Amino acid sequence: EPEVTQTPSHQVTQMGQEVILRCVPISNHLYFYWYRQILGQKVEFLVSFYNNEISEKSEIFDDQFSVERPDGSNFTLKIRSTKLEDSAMYFCASSELATSYEQYFGPGTRLTVT
Amino acid sequence: LAKTTQPISMDSYEGQEVNITCSHNNIATNDYITWYQQFPSQGPRFIIQGYKTKVTNEVASLFIPADRKSSTLSLPRVSLSDTAVYYCLVGETGGFKTIFGAGTRLFVKA
């Protein structure tokens, strides 16, 4: 069964450093998403991406965040200057259609900012 | 996006049927109802989606009354491995923004 993959599984970085989280969505999917989940809290929407541009973004997704689909398979989330409060699990998801909430989530990247 | 209300937590025993109800009084005509399951340290997993009446798949059933102001996720004969958080989402399926609520934490006991 096809699945979304994410790398790395765990990233430790120092405050102020840039990090790039990588995702490989399911190959025939056209819609891509990033979410985060702070430990013990709910899943928070960050951004959705379609046709090489951002479709929607939340208030969390400020100028420190950016997304890119650098090639036909990868989808990345960049945090330019990490803060302590960016420590969270980051989940990538993809869906075949925008006309469905049937999104497939990756296993997540645990980001720890020290 | 319609606001949803679910119980914060539920307890059950192995082998029982579990019904989790979600209220969504402001559901719009174009909105679908979708349920996800999340295990600790894993991403949410799609369970089921419906618009009205009843939908069933190999994992669960979803019951939606005629007024669509609520929905019930039914898990038949739960096992310990069904211990997870269950999220009810309501929104237009053409929308790009997905909002998760706090979910219902289901704890299945032996």
Side-chain angles (χ1 to χ4, degrees), chain B residues 66-85:
Chain B
D67 66 6
R68 305 200 325 123
K69 293 184 185 300
S70 66
S71 58
T72 300
L73 176 73
S74 181
L75 304 171
R77 292 186 298 282
V78 294
S79 64
L80 297 177
S81 62
D82 291 315
T83 293
V85 179

Side-chain angles (χ1 to χ4, degrees), chain A residues 37-104:
Chain A
Q37 187 172 34
I38 295 169
L39 187 62
Q41 297 187 24
K42 63 182 181 181
V43 177
E44 298 176 292
F45 169 83
L46 291 178
V47 66
S48 58
F49 190 86
Y50 167 69
N51 202 25
N52 281 320
E53 58 183 35
I54 290 174
S55 305
E56 288 264 11
K57 58 183 181 179
S58 70
E59 310 74 42
I60 303 167
F61 194 89
D62 61 21
D63 292 344
Q64 292 300 311
F65 291 88
S66 63
V67 289
E68 192 180 31
R69 187 151 163 84
D71 54 44
S73 59
N74 290 284
F75 179 51
T76 61
L77 174 70
K78 183 194 289 186
I79 309 175
R80 287 192 184 84
S81 177
T82 50
K83 309 185 193 72
L84 294 175
E85 54 266 36
D86 292 327
S87 294
M89 280 288 279
Y90 287 80
F91 295 109
C92 171
S94 69
S95 63
E96 190 174 0
L97 303 169
T99 55
S100 171
Y101 268 150
E102 188 171 349
Q103 296 178 23
Y104 291 81

Side-chain angles (χ1 to χ4, degrees), chain B residues 2 7 15 18 38 42 44 50-51 61 106-107:
Chain B
V18 170
Q38 187 182 27
Q42 293 186 28
Y51 184 80
S61 294
L106 172 66
F107 186 67

Side-chain angles (χ1 to χ4, degrees), chain A residues 4-64:
Chain A
V4 176
T5 59
Q6 291 186 241
T7 53
S9 56
H10 191 189
Q11 171 105 38
V12 181
T13 189
Q14 289 190 322
M15 201 166 48
Q17 295 297 303
E18 174 183 284
V19 294
I20 297 176
L21 310 182
R22 291 184 166 78
C23 168
V24 179
I26 293 173
S27 61
N28 64 330
H29 285 187
L30 300 176
Y31 301 88
F32 314 115
Y33 313 83
W34 282 101
Y35 298 83
R36 79 171 186 193
Q37 187 172 34
I38 295 169
L39 187 62
Q41 297 187 24
K42 63 182 181 181
V43 177
E44 298 176 292
F45 169 83
L46 291 178
V47 66
S48 58
F49 190 86
Y50 167 69
N51 202 25
N52 281 320
E53 58 183 35
I54 290 174
S55 305
E56 288 264 11
K57 58 183 181 179
S58 70
E59 310 74 42
I60 303 167
F61 194 89
D62 61 21
D63 292 344
Q64 292 300 311

